[in-house]
Amino acid sequence: MLKLHDALSILLGVAGGVAVGGGVIALIIVLDIIPRLAQLTRTYHRVHWYEGALIGGSLIGTLADFWHWSIPLGRVTSTLIGLWCGIFIGLLAAALTEVLNVLPILAKRLKMTGYLFGLLMAMVAGKVAGSLFDWFIYRP
Protein backbone atom coordinates (compact mmCIF):
# COMPACT_ATOMS: atom_id res chain seq x y z
CA MET A 1 0.00 0.00 0.00
CA LEU A 2 2.93 2.34 0.71
CA LYS A 3 4.30 1.87 -2.82
CA LEU A 4 0.90 2.80 -4.27
CA HIS A 5 0.86 5.94 -2.12
CA ASP A 6 4.38 6.86 -3.26
CA ALA A 7 3.52 6.21 -6.92
CA LEU A 8 0.38 8.33 -6.62
CA SER A 9 2.37 11.14 -4.95
CA ILE A 10 4.94 11.06 -7.74
CA LEU A 11 2.21 11.07 -10.40
CA LEU A 12 0.39 14.00 -8.79
CA GLY A 13 3.64 15.91 -8.29
CA VAL A 14 4.66 15.51 -11.92
CA ALA A 15 1.15 16.36 -13.14
CA GLY A 16 1.06 19.47 -10.96
CA GLY A 17 4.51 20.52 -12.13
CA VAL A 18 3.57 20.08 -15.77
CA ALA A 19 0.35 22.06 -15.24
CA VAL A 20 2.06 24.95 -13.45
CA GLY A 21 5.04 24.96 -15.82
CA GLY A 22 2.75 24.88 -18.84
CA GLY A 23 0.75 27.78 -17.43
CA VAL A 24 3.85 29.88 -16.83
CA ILE A 25 5.21 29.17 -20.30
CA ALA A 26 1.81 29.94 -21.83
CA LEU A 27 1.77 33.23 -19.92
CA ILE A 28 5.26 34.12 -21.15
CA ILE A 29 4.32 33.24 -24.72
CA VAL A 30 0.94 35.00 -24.71
CA LEU A 31 2.34 38.21 -23.23
CA ASP A 32 5.39 38.11 -25.55
CA ILE A 33 7.66 38.79 -22.60
CA ILE A 34 10.93 37.63 -24.19
CA PRO A 35 10.48 39.37 -27.57
CA ARG A 36 9.28 42.53 -25.80
CA LEU A 37 12.30 42.48 -23.50
CA ALA A 38 14.61 42.05 -26.49
CA GLN A 39 12.83 44.88 -28.30
CA LEU A 40 13.06 47.28 -25.35
CA THR A 41 16.75 46.58 -24.81
CA ARG A 42 17.51 46.55 -28.54
CA THR A 43 19.18 43.14 -28.19
CA TYR A 44 16.94 41.02 -30.41
CA HIS A 45 20.00 39.28 -31.83
CA ARG A 46 20.57 37.84 -28.32
CA VAL A 47 17.05 36.54 -27.74
CA HIS A 48 18.44 33.01 -27.33
CA TRP A 49 20.33 34.25 -24.24
CA TYR A 50 17.05 35.36 -22.67
CA GLU A 51 15.45 32.00 -23.41
CA GLY A 52 18.47 30.14 -22.01
CA ALA A 53 18.46 32.28 -18.87
CA LEU A 54 14.76 31.58 -18.37
CA ILE A 55 15.19 27.84 -18.77
CA GLY A 56 18.41 27.74 -16.73
CA GLY A 57 16.93 29.81 -13.92
CA SER A 58 13.86 27.57 -13.78
CA LEU A 59 16.01 24.45 -13.69
CA ILE A 60 18.40 25.77 -11.03
CA GLY A 61 15.50 27.09 -8.94
CA THR A 62 13.75 23.71 -9.11
CA LEU A 63 16.90 21.80 -8.15
CA ALA A 64 17.63 24.24 -5.31
CA ASP A 65 14.10 23.77 -3.99
CA PHE A 66 14.14 19.97 -4.25
CA TRP A 67 17.57 19.52 -2.69
CA HIS A 68 17.28 22.38 -0.16
CA TRP A 69 20.35 24.25 -1.35
CA SER A 70 21.24 27.27 0.70
CA ILE A 71 23.85 29.99 0.61
CA PRO A 72 24.57 31.60 3.99
CA LEU A 73 24.51 35.29 3.09
CA GLY A 74 23.40 36.77 6.40
CA ARG A 75 20.15 38.34 7.47
CA VAL A 76 20.61 41.72 5.79
CA THR A 77 21.50 40.28 2.39
CA SER A 78 18.70 37.71 2.61
CA THR A 79 16.25 40.45 3.55
CA LEU A 80 17.31 42.58 0.58
CA ILE A 81 17.05 39.63 -1.81
CA GLY A 82 13.62 38.78 -0.41
CA LEU A 83 12.53 42.39 -0.78
CA TRP A 84 13.65 42.55 -4.41
CA CYS A 85 12.01 39.19 -5.19
CA GLY A 86 8.77 40.40 -3.61
CA ILE A 87 8.90 43.63 -5.59
CA PHE A 88 9.47 41.66 -8.79
CA ILE A 89 6.54 39.32 -8.12
CA GLY A 90 4.30 42.22 -7.18
CA LEU A 91 5.18 44.19 -10.30
CA LEU A 92 4.71 41.10 -12.48
CA ALA A 93 1.29 40.51 -10.96
CA ALA A 94 0.39 44.18 -11.39
CA ALA A 95 1.52 44.12 -15.02
CA LEU A 96 -0.50 40.99 -15.70
CA THR A 97 -3.53 42.52 -14.04
CA GLU A 98 -3.09 45.69 -16.09
CA VAL A 99 -2.75 43.77 -19.34
CA LEU A 100 -5.81 41.65 -18.72
CA ASN A 101 -7.90 44.51 -17.22
CA VAL A 102 -8.92 42.22 -14.37
CA LEU A 103 -9.66 44.87 -11.76
CA PRO A 104 -11.97 47.08 -13.84
CA ILE A 105 -13.91 44.03 -15.01
CA LEU A 106 -14.11 42.66 -11.46
CA ALA A 107 -15.26 46.03 -10.08
CA LYS A 108 -17.87 46.40 -12.81
CA ARG A 109 -19.30 42.91 -12.25
CA LEU A 110 -19.42 43.36 -8.49
CA LYS A 111 -20.95 46.83 -8.96
CA MET A 112 -18.03 48.37 -7.07
CA THR A 113 -16.75 50.78 -9.74
CA GLY A 114 -16.79 53.69 -7.28
CA TYR A 115 -14.78 51.65 -4.80
CA LEU A 116 -12.03 50.53 -7.20
CA PHE A 117 -9.28 52.35 -5.28
CA GLY A 118 -10.44 50.85 -1.98
CA LEU A 119 -10.61 47.39 -3.57
CA LEU A 120 -7.07 47.78 -4.86
CA MET A 121 -5.79 48.97 -1.47
CA ALA A 122 -7.54 46.07 0.29
CA MET A 123 -5.83 43.63 -2.08
CA VAL A 124 -2.44 45.24 -1.46
CA ALA A 125 -2.96 45.28 2.31
CA GLY A 126 -4.03 41.64 2.26
CA LYS A 127 -0.98 40.64 0.26
CA VAL A 128 1.35 42.56 2.58
CA ALA A 129 -0.32 41.14 5.70
CA GLY A 130 -0.16 37.61 4.34
CA SER A 131 3.49 37.98 3.39
CA LEU A 132 4.41 39.40 6.81
CA PHE A 133 2.50 36.60 8.53
CA ASP A 134 4.28 34.00 6.42
CA TRP A 135 7.65 35.61 6.99
CA PHE A 136 7.51 36.37 10.73
CA ILE A 137 4.95 34.01 12.28
CA TYR A 138 4.37 30.91 10.13
CA ARG A 139 7.55 28.86 10.11
CA PRO A 140 6.95 25.29 8.82
Side-chain angles (χ1 to χ4, degrees):
M1 192 67 176
L2 187 60
K3 291 192 187 270
L4 178 64
H5 181 268
D6 290 344
L8 186 59
S9 294
I10 290 170
L11 179 68
L12 289 175
V14 169
V18 167
V20 170
V24 169
I25 295 303
L27 176 70
I28 289 169
I29 290 171
V30 166
L31 295 180
D32 285 334
I33 290 175
I34 292 177
R36 181 74 175 134
L37 179 63
Q39 180 186 16
L40 288 174
T41 58
R42 294 183 179 97
T43 55
Y44 200 77
H45 60 284
R46 299 192 192 273
V47 74
H48 60 279
W49 285 27
Y50 294 123
E51 293 167 348
L54 185 67
I55 293 168
S58 298
L59 179 64
I60 290 170
T62 300
L63 293 175
D65 187 41
F66 279 158
W67 291 328
H68 305 289
W69 293 349
S70 65
I71 302 171
L73 298 174
R75 296 188 120 197
V76 174
T77 306
S78 295
T79 301
L80 289 174
I81 291 171
L83 178 67
W84 285 109
C85 288
I87 290 170
F88 172 75
I89 296 295
L91 290 174
L92 184 63
L96 179 61
T97 303
E98 183 67 30
V99 167
L100 298 179
N101 290 327
V102 171
L103 291 179
I105 293 170
L106 178 67
K108 187 175 182 180
R109 293 214 176 151
L110 295 175
K111 296 182 173 100
M112 296 181 65
T113 308
Y115 304 104
L116 188 58
F117 182 75
L119 178 65
L120 180 63
M121 288 298 111
M123 291 171 65
V124 168
K127 180 66 177 169
V128 169
S131 296
L132 291 174
F133 174 81
D134 184 57
W135 198 19
F136 290 120
I137 297 171
Y138 179 73
R139 297 283 177 154

